[in-house]
Amino acid sequence: MSRLILFNKPYGVLSQFTDRGSEGARATLSDHIKLPGVYPAGRLDRDSEGLLLLTDDGRLQAQISDPKFKLPKTYLVQVEGEIDEGALKRLRLGVTLKDGLTLPAEAKRIDEPQLWPRDPPVRFRKSVPDCWISLTIREGRNRQVRRMTAAVGFPTLRLVRWSIGDWSVEGLAPGEWREIVV
């Protein structure tokens, strides 16, 4: 039996247990998870929030993080501007980035989700509208979601990974985790 930790990674926390080589101390997983022998299955950028999976099983870690398994990852994304159907269609077809064409994504506009407040809050500008989309991808390039939304003209303001496969961050506050046996 393998251990699987579902962790709601707060904004500003690194997806690793140590922060060697930086000048100032930055928050890491060790500030939240005190379990020996578990390691992140994939990454979530420091300026992103939401579901990060950790496990003690190398095979499970590979199945979760290796793009060849194409495990769907769903993100709730606050973008700058009022996204239109044309931009959503481009996301659905795949977007050309500097490192090539992305796989097609599932993309739809959604109502503002009921999420925890972000600390620090997203900068609010009265003259610039924003909206939310749900975006599901099956690959994991560096900063891919942010690059995809920017490529279609709607920069990301807030990025929350909601689910990976069948696992979700639902019911976990930032910094909380839950262990399940798989």
Side-chain angles (χ1 to χ4, degrees):
M1 295 222 267
S2 303
R3 296 174 90 179
L4 184 66
I5 307 300
L6 283 64
F7 175 56
N8 187 348
K9 187 192 88 57
Y11 178 90
V13 173
L14 294 174
S15 296
Q16 57 198 43
F17 282 97
T18 61
D19 184 24
R20 286 183 237 128
S22 69
E23 300 227 352
R26 296 182 293 181
T28 66
L29 296 177
S30 62
D31 296 317
H32 300 277
I33 300 171
K34 310 286 187 207
L35 296 174
V38 296
Y39 302 95
R43 300 189 64 77
L44 190 57
D45 295 330
R46 183 173 175 229
D47 55 352
S48 298
E49 315 161 65
L51 185 62
L52 182 66
L53 299 175
L54 299 94
T55 183
D56 62 354
D57 181 329
R59 279 191 211 162
L60 180 58
Q61 185 179 27
Q63 288 177 338
I64 293 168
S65 59
D66 194 320
K68 75 178 178 184
F69 293 103
K70 295 185 176 42
L71 204 56
K73 295 178 242 10
T74 298
Y75 297 84
L76 306 181
V77 189
Q78 182 182 21
V79 296
E80 187 176 281
E82 294 283 344
I83 199 162
D84 55 31
E85 189 56 37
L88 291 170
K89 183 176 180 181
R90 288 179 59 203
L91 292 169
R92 290 183 199 119
L93 294 173
V95 178
T96 301
L97 304 175
K98 287 182 181 175
D99 54 354
L101 184 66
T102 65
L103 293 175
E106 296 169 32
K108 64 182 176 183
R109 186 166 173 166
I110 59 172
D111 292 333
E112 182 175 347
Q114 296 299 307
L115 297 172
W116 52 89
R118 193 183 90 173
D119 184 23
V122 172
R123 182 174 51 125
F124 175 75
R125 296 191 306 180
K126 205 183 262 192
S127 62
V128 180
D130 62 67
C131 67
W132 286 84
I133 63 171
S134 171
L135 187 65
T136 301
I137 61 174
R138 286 178 164 70
E139 54 189 335
R141 300 182 196 186
N142 186 39
R143 300 182 71 79
Q144 180 176 342
V145 170
R146 292 176 188 280
R147 293 189 300 141
M148 288 175 72
T149 64
V152 298
F154 296 88
T156 294
L157 299 173
R158 184 175 182 190
L159 182 61
V160 178
R161 182 160 55 199
W162 189 254
S163 65
I164 300 173
D166 293 332
W167 301 296
S168 168
V169 75
E170 188 169 10
L172 291 174
E176 288 185 348
W177 56 272
R178 172 174 63 242
E179 181 174 355
I180 59 175
V181 178
V182 291

